[in-house]
Structure formats: C-alpha cells, structure tokens
Amino acid sequence: MQSGQMTIFDMFDGAKIFNIPKYQRAYAWEERHLKDFVDDLENQLTDQPENQQENKHYFLGTILFQLQPDQGFFKRIDIVDGQQRMTTVIIFMKLLLDRLQELREDTTILVETYLQRFGEYKLRVLEQDNTFFQAYILQDHPVIDGAIKTPSQHRLLAAKQYLASRLQAYNLAELQRLQEKLRSSRILMYSVNNTANATLIFETTNDRGKQLTNLEKTKSFL
C-alpha cells in the first residue's frame, strides 16, 4: 500500500488482513468517542444545500501501517496507529450492513469488502480479544455469562450496542446515504518499514488525544 490520501473503500478493498500488533493498546473507545464518530457522520448528511455538505468528503484522520509478509494471497498489514478508528469503522459498517439486509438490500459485495473475504475476517484485534470479537461482535452469538473476560471486551460490546441503537433511527434512504458517505470518507495513510519505527511512532502518538499509560508504553517497548 502506498502512502497518501485514499478512501475507506480503497483501503479495505481487496484481499487484505489488518492486524492489531501485540504492542498496541486494547480497544479503548467509550460512549463519548462513539458519539463523536456518529455525530460527525450525521453532520455530513444535512439536506441544506447552502452548506454543500453532500460534496464534501468526511476526513477520518491519519492511519499508520506496517506491511508484513503476505499470508497466502492476502496482504497482511499491521495497524501502527489508528486501530481505535478502524475497529469502530468495522463494527459500525457491520451493523449498517445488517440494517440494510433487514430491509432486503443486497450487501454481498460490501460484506466482502469491509468484513470478510474468502473466509478470513478483514480485521484481527489483539489476541486476547479476537475470539470474542469474531463470535460476539461480528457473528452475533448470544453473550453468555462469563463470556466477557477483559475491559476491552466490555467496551467492544458496549460499542456494538451503542452504534446499533443509533442506526435504528435511520430509514433505508438514510442508511444508503450513510454507507456511501462512509465509503467515500478519506484517510491519510502512511506506512513504516520496521517494527522499531512502528513502536516509536506508537509511543509518541495518541488517538483522539487519549494518552498512553506507562504500562502501555512499557508493553510496546518490550
């Protein structure tokens, strides 16, 4: 993947697996971050022509990647910075496509683009959360007693519940516009060449202003 500006659709399109490396923090977004995410998207869908919002691209920020050796015919890409946004985009898109399917829209191509291709999920979160993420967030298994074992799993489930509640308010036309707006949203993508640079960047950047804890910095260093 070349550095530069691209759309969310271009970033996900193709046989790619995005991996959250073990030095990264676990999922940390809470309701206030999720509210900002959805509110920002909603603000792009105004019907007021004088604001000309329909012609503006929503900018999701900068995401840093490190390319890893291919896994079969999949490109494997580590997320150095931006995993909170990417995880949230995946959850939101999964729920949005569920709503479109409920309204009898064909989402086959979109599912293959954003969620799962040839049996492989597009996103792998941290190892301790990945089975939970696949089973309870992406596959909709009922959450049984004892299933939630980490604070980040609790936040992942809370994110799914909050985003699902926001999407219930949209009709078919609004859901279609929302999907198109997210599809054309822009990110600024940079890639790094080695793990040393990746961990250095991770330690000196933060997502939405949330500072790394000393424990997270020590973990990335080790």
Side-chain angles (χ1 to χ4, degrees), residues 188-203:
L188 192 60
M189 193 279 289
Y190 289 101
S191 61
V192 294
N193 299 322
N194 56 63
T195 303
N197 285 338
T199 54
L200 176 62
I201 291 170
F202 174 70
E203 290 171 12

Side-chain angles (χ1 to χ4, degrees), residues 20-39:
I20 297 175
K22 59 186 177 182
Y23 60 78
Q24 272 275 16
R25 66 169 59 166
Y27 189 72
W29 272 22
E30 299 171 346
E31 185 170 319
R32 66 183 185 275
H33 306 106
L34 300 166
K35 183 178 185 302
D36 286 344
F37 173 81
V38 181
D39 287 349

Side-chain angles (χ1 to χ4, degrees), residues 9-221:
F9 179 85
D10 291 335
M11 180 176 68
F12 280 105
D13 192 30
K16 299 169 185 172
I17 296 173
F18 295 95
N19 176 66
I20 297 175
K22 59 186 177 182
Y23 60 78
Q24 272 275 16
R25 66 169 59 166
Y27 189 72
W29 272 22
E30 299 171 346
E31 185 170 319
R32 66 183 185 275
H33 306 106
L34 300 166
K35 183 178 185 302
D36 286 344
F37 173 81
V38 181
D39 287 349
D40 287 347
L41 275 174
E42 283 186 345
N43 289 337
Q44 304 297 312
L45 301 181
T46 177
D47 289 323
Q48 300 177 22
E50 63 270 20
N51 291 337
Q52 298 180 342
Q53 292 285 350
E54 291 295 340
N55 297 320
K56 295 173 66 175
H57 294 292
Y58 177 41
F59 182 62
L60 267 172
T62 301
I63 297 180
L64 285 81
F65 293 131
Q66 181 186 5
L67 295 180
Q68 297 291 348
D70 289 351
Q71 181 178 320
F73 54 84
F74 286 92
K75 293 186 181 299
R76 191 162 66 91
I77 304 163
D78 278 1
I79 306 169
V80 178
D81 187 58
Q83 71 103 334
Q84 307 290 334
R85 277 166 290 160
M86 285 196 63
T87 304
T88 303
V89 166
I90 288 282
I91 298 172
F92 186 79
M93 185 61 78
K94 176 261 188 301
L95 296 167
L96 194 158
L97 297 182
D98 284 351
R99 288 282 291 124
L100 288 172
Q101 290 170 7
E102 290 171 8
L103 298 170
R104 303 189 183 281
E105 289 291 292
D106 185 0
T107 63
T108 303
I109 294 176
L110 295 175
V111 169
E112 291 180 354
T113 300
Y114 296 106
L115 302 180
Q116 188 178 37
R117 192 179 184 101
F118 304 132
E120 290 284 348
Y121 286 107
K122 287 293 184 85
L123 178 66
R124 294 175 181 170
V125 300
L126 291 178
E127 183 178 359
Q128 66 265 27
D129 295 332
N130 197 51
T131 299
F132 179 92
F133 181 69
Q134 291 182 3
Y136 299 106
I137 307 302
L138 299 180
Q139 297 177 15
D140 297 321
H141 290 187
V143 180
I144 59 177
D145 290 342
I148 301 175
K149 301 184 184 303
T150 66
S152 50
Q153 291 173 9
H154 176 78
R155 286 190 287 268
L156 285 165
L157 184 60
K160 179 180 181 180
Q161 292 168 342
Y162 176 82
L163 295 173
S165 69
R166 292 291 298 265
L167 283 166
Q168 283 298 318
Y170 294 110
N171 61 35
L172 176 58
E174 290 167 335
L175 290 167
Q176 290 170 333
R177 291 174 61 207
L178 193 61
Q179 187 277 128
E180 284 296 328
K181 179 57 65 176
L182 193 55
R183 170 194 177 100
S184 62
S185 295
R186 302 298 177 92
I187 59 125
L188 192 60
M189 193 279 289
Y190 289 101
S191 61
V192 294
N193 299 322
N194 56 63
T195 303
N197 285 338
T199 54
L200 176 62
I201 291 170
F202 174 70
E203 290 171 12
T204 54
T205 59
N206 61 86
D207 196 69
R208 288 254 173 168
K210 189 165 185 176
Q211 297 291 335
L212 298 174
T213 65
N214 288 334
L215 178 60
E216 289 167 333
K217 291 179 181 179
T218 302
K219 176 185 171 185
S220 72
F221 174 78

